[in-house]
Amino acid sequence: MIRLILIAVFAICAALPAPLVAQNFDVGLDAAIAGDYATALENWRPLAEGGDAYAQYNLGTMYYNGNGVPQDDAEAVRLYRLSVEQGNANAQYSLGFMYSNGQGVLQDDAEAAKLYRMSAKQGYDRAQYTLGVMYANGQGVLQSHVLAHLWYNIASANGNELGSYNRDIIVGRMTREQIAEAQALARVCMSSGYQNCD
């Protein structure tokens, strides 16, 4: 009886597809951290092609930086877009950065602000800070010290030191009423999980 069970188990195992070696995200991550970009690429490319948003983002970053692959802004944009479509906050921020700087795409501050806002609404402090900069300077959005303060304040609350620094600077350009409005808006924004922010 045991022999029949073992034969059945071996038959089932033999019929299963071989494990997909080199498609492990964590192995790729460990390799990338160690500077072994060939192993990272080997592990992430099949995952990215299979639709994994994190692998798409990380592979896009490899192309953006030229780590283990030829530096290629267009390929970075393509991979970031795939990840953005799945809601990856890091990819949203990175693609926004590329639009801000015209890398691999035509420079477009309005598109950059849209992508930063998507990322900021997921709590990504760098995107929140960058939105503050865009509102302070009127880049891709209407210039507003109130909204700049709001985003700097939220970024600061999430640990972004530059958010705190810039918030304190912009206060010098605002009236008491504007500061109170910005603080009230920040409370609403934070209590809504960053969904009702401007």
Side-chain angles (χ1 to χ4, degrees):
M1 176 79 163
I2 293 177
R3 182 182 160 134
L4 289 175
I5 293 172
L6 288 175
I7 291 171
V9 168
F10 287 127
I12 291 169
C13 289
L16 293 174
L20 297 175
V21 181
Q23 289 191 21
N24 186 310
F25 183 83
D26 293 334
V27 170
L29 184 59
D30 291 342
I33 290 169
D36 180 1
Y37 298 112
T39 299
L41 182 66
E42 181 181 313
N43 282 275
W44 286 340
R45 185 179 304 282
L47 292 171
E49 290 170 359
D52 184 287
Y54 297 103
Q56 291 163 344
Y57 164 72
N58 284 319
L59 196 55
T61 300
M62 286 178 66
Y63 278 100
Y64 177 78
N65 292 318
N67 292 334
V69 293
Q71 196 285 329
D72 186 342
D73 285 341
E75 183 63 6
V77 166
R78 184 186 78 79
L79 288 159
Y80 286 155
R81 278 193 178 127
L82 292 172
S83 189
V84 163
E85 289 171 7
Q86 298 183 71
N88 184 295
N90 290 326
Q92 292 161 347
Y93 176 82
S94 295
L95 187 56
F97 183 83
M98 295 187 83
Y99 272 101
S100 286
N101 296 294
Q103 294 175 279
V105 293
L106 292 176
Q107 196 280 335
D108 185 340
D109 284 334
E111 185 65 18
K114 176 182 147 191
L115 288 157
Y116 290 143
R117 183 171 285 104
M118 292 167 64
S119 181
K121 286 185 170 191
Q122 293 189 65
Y124 191 48
D125 69 293
R126 288 176 66 187
Q128 293 165 342
Y129 165 76
T130 305
L131 272 178
V133 171
M134 295 189 87
Y135 276 109
N137 297 320
Q139 292 175 276
V141 294
L142 292 176
Q143 191 276 336
S144 169
H145 292 317
V146 170
L147 293 177
H149 185 287
L150 160 108
W151 285 112
Y152 288 147
N153 201 19
I154 290 169
S156 175
N158 286 315
N160 189 294
E161 292 178 18
L162 287 174
S164 177
Y165 178 79
N166 281 8
R167 179 200 57 216
D168 294 345
I169 289 174
I170 206 161
V171 162
R173 301 177 193 155
M174 300 171 70
T175 66
R176 287 185 184 152
E177 293 79 17
Q178 289 174 319
I179 295 167
E181 179 185 1
Q183 290 171 337
L185 288 171
R187 283 190 294 275
V188 169
C189 180
M190 293 182 78
S191 68
S192 71
Y194 312 114
Q195 300 310 299
N196 298 322
C197 297
D198 51 17

